[in-house]
Amino acid sequence: MSTTLGSFIAGGMAACGAVTVTHPFETVKIRLQLQGELQSKLDAPRMYKGVLHGVKVIAQNEGPKGLFRGIGAAYVYQMILNGCRLGFYEPLRKGATTAIFKDANVQSLGVNIFSGAASGILGAAAGSPFFLVKTRLQSYSPFLPVGTQHGYKNARDGFRQIYTNEGIKGLYRGVGAAMVRTGFGSSVQLPTYFFAKRRLVKHLDMKEGPALHLASSTASGFVVCCVMHPPDTIMSRMYNQTGNLYTGVLDCLLKTVKTEGLFAIYKGFFAHLARILPHTILTLSLAEQTNKWMRKFENKVLPTGIKDKI
């Protein structure tokens, strides 16, 4: 087991590797979620008709730059979010398990879900300003605009404009939605990953290695997408709004469903799935490797007294 700091760094490194591959699907997902915002189905133009069509039209009109808008802010956000999620999960789980069962090795689904949600919420709150700027950068298109267009030159310019116009409060616009969304996803991501991993070892006699990590990550990614997508849609709209189009999470949900129908909260689901499956697989699989590297590094540099405690 790495130290909490070691796990934080290892988790962040793993997530940055994953987001490099999956960022274009995240861009398409956000534009699909914002497309036809607060318009009836009959009135809303469909400029992006699905995952592959979205990738195609963005690449044709904006080039690779369009698909990778906001990648810098995404790296920082992933370092913070997944550093917290993967770094604090085990300490929280062990602390809660020890307090309740007097044994840190006991596996409790309730404690695992709580630990996953709590670690994710911490990361979402800390990284919210970066996700806010990332979302606004990704939604911007000079050719096929959807939702409110902000026109930031880059992430730094986005932070400057938001802080100048709205102050610190503006940088944390939508943080409640982000915490709900990430709490939902984190509450199931690691518990389902470790649950699937234990079952595959027990029932299929799979051995520790890439195949086991891949199968466990796939199961986890699918469950995460199903649970997290509705609050993810709400979060994207709250982040991208200017002024007070939505007063809060519930107001955004009600307005969206009332105007666009119930399935509006699942706009961009397949783009999300196309992003979350490889992202979860890569993050959790890479996390296994980065944690091993971090343990080796810590074994070389940490004093013996500290190593004996972790």
Side-chain angles (χ1 to χ4, degrees):
M1 172 61 66
S2 303
T3 62
T4 299
L5 177 60
S7 295
F8 183 101
I9 295 170
M13 288 169 57
C16 285
V19 82
T20 304
V21 177
T22 61
H23 193 75
F25 293 116
E26 174 77 0
T27 300
V28 174
K29 181 208 75 174
I30 286 173
R31 295 193 187 183
L32 285 168
Q33 289 173 324
L34 295 173
Q35 182 170 253
E37 186 175 17
L38 297 186
Q39 294 177 287
S40 68
K41 288 183 180 180
L42 296 176
D43 298 331
R46 290 189 66 207
M47 291 176 284
Y48 304 99
K49 298 176 182 177
V51 186
L52 297 180
H53 181 261
V55 171
K56 178 184 174 183
V57 296
I58 294 171
Q60 284 179 340
N61 290 290
E62 302 171 48
K65 179 182 177 181
L67 290 168
F68 283 92
R69 289 186 191 279
I71 188 71
Y75 281 141
V76 179
Y77 175 75
Q78 290 296 332
M79 280 294 296
I80 295 171
L81 172 66
N82 286 288
C84 288
R85 188 153 57 183
L86 298 175
F88 295 145
Y89 174 78
E90 270 300 308
L92 285 169
R93 187 197 67 78
K94 283 189 172 183
T97 304
T98 301
I100 297 170
F101 301 103
K102 310 303 181 186
D103 183 357
N105 295 317
V106 172
Q107 287 293 333
S108 165
L109 181 61
V111 170
N112 291 353
I113 290 174
F114 163 78
S115 303
S119 58
I121 288 169
L122 286 171
S128 184
F130 293 96
F131 204 109
L132 169 72
V133 172
K134 178 191 77 70
T135 299
R136 292 185 176 186
L137 286 167
Q138 287 177 297
S139 69
Y140 174 74
S141 172
F143 299 97
L144 296 171
V146 291
T148 303
Q149 297 290 284
H150 298 278
Y152 303 144
K153 296 176 184 177
N154 49 44
R156 181 180 294 180
D157 182 53
F159 278 110
R160 183 187 61 79
Q161 288 196 40
I162 294 169
Y163 180 75
T164 300
N165 296 324
E166 305 173 59
I168 292 293
K169 184 179 179 180
L171 290 171
Y172 280 90
R173 177 191 291 273
V175 66
M179 292 168 71
V180 171
R181 173 248 194 198
T182 309
F184 275 38
S186 298
S187 68
V188 297
Q189 185 189 47
L190 291 179
T192 53
Y193 175 75
F194 290 120
F195 177 83
K197 192 176 178 183
R198 289 194 299 270
R199 290 297 176 270
L200 289 168
V201 170
K202 181 177 180 180
H203 298 294
L204 298 181
D205 197 30
M206 291 185 72
K207 306 300 181 186
E208 184 70 23
L212 177 60
H213 302 162
L214 179 65
S216 305
S217 300
T218 301
S220 176
F222 180 76
V223 174
V224 166
C225 190
C226 292
V227 170
M228 192 169 70
H229 192 77
D232 185 80
T233 300
I234 301 303
M235 182 198 68
S236 293
R237 294 189 169 197
M238 291 194 67
Y239 272 159
N240 198 57
Q241 70 171 329
T242 297
N244 293 304
L245 182 62
Y246 308 111
T247 58
V249 175
L250 187 58
D251 181 57
C252 182
L253 174 63
L254 292 175
K255 283 182 178 177
T256 299
V257 172
K258 182 179 179 180
T259 309
E260 303 170 54
L262 181 62
F263 290 106
I265 58 175
Y266 276 96
K267 281 184 176 181
F269 176 80
F270 291 107
H272 196 177
L273 193 62
R275 178 250 173 198
I276 202 74
L277 278 179
H279 185 86
T280 304
I281 290 166
L282 288 168
T283 298
L284 295 178
S285 298
L286 288 171
E288 296 273 3
Q289 306 308 315
T290 54
N291 269 306
K292 288 179 183 177
W293 298 336
M294 189 58 63
R295 282 195 293 271
K296 288 180 181 178
F297 174 74
E298 289 178 342
N299 283 335
K300 290 180 180 179
V301 301
L302 292 178
T304 304
I306 295 177
K307 285 192 289 186
D308 290 341
K309 295 179 181 179
I310 60 174

